[in-house]
Amino acid sequence: MNSSGWQKSSFSAANNECVEVRVCGEVVELRESDEPGTILGADPATFLNLLESIKASGFDQYA
């Protein structure tokens, strides 16, 4: 896996209220844009499981 810069969804608000993701070595990292120092890391399989769980629960629908 190649390292990359932080990316956010095109659905994110213009005022920087979003979750950002990047690949850092063999870890997928997540952070909230207004708390950039707090980073959650997961291996790719765990991250994929998280995304699938979010989609299955309906939490991927925005208001």
Side-chain angles (χ1 to χ4, degrees), residues 24-53:
C24 189
E26 296 294 321
V27 177
V28 179
E29 295 182 331
L30 298 167
R31 71 179 182 183
E32 192 168 340
S33 60
D34 63 349
E35 290 289 334
T38 303
I39 300 171
L40 172 68
D43 62 82
T46 302
F47 180 69
L48 180 59
N49 190 15
L50 171 66
L51 293 179
E52 290 171 345
S53 297

Side-chain angles (χ1 to χ4, degrees), residues 1 11-13 15-19 24 26 36 42 50 55 62:
M1 231 183 264
F11 292 102
S12 296
N15 58 356
N16 212 26
E17 294 178 3
C18 59
V19 173
C24 189
E26 296 294 321
L50 171 66
K55 288 181 180 183
Y62 55 92

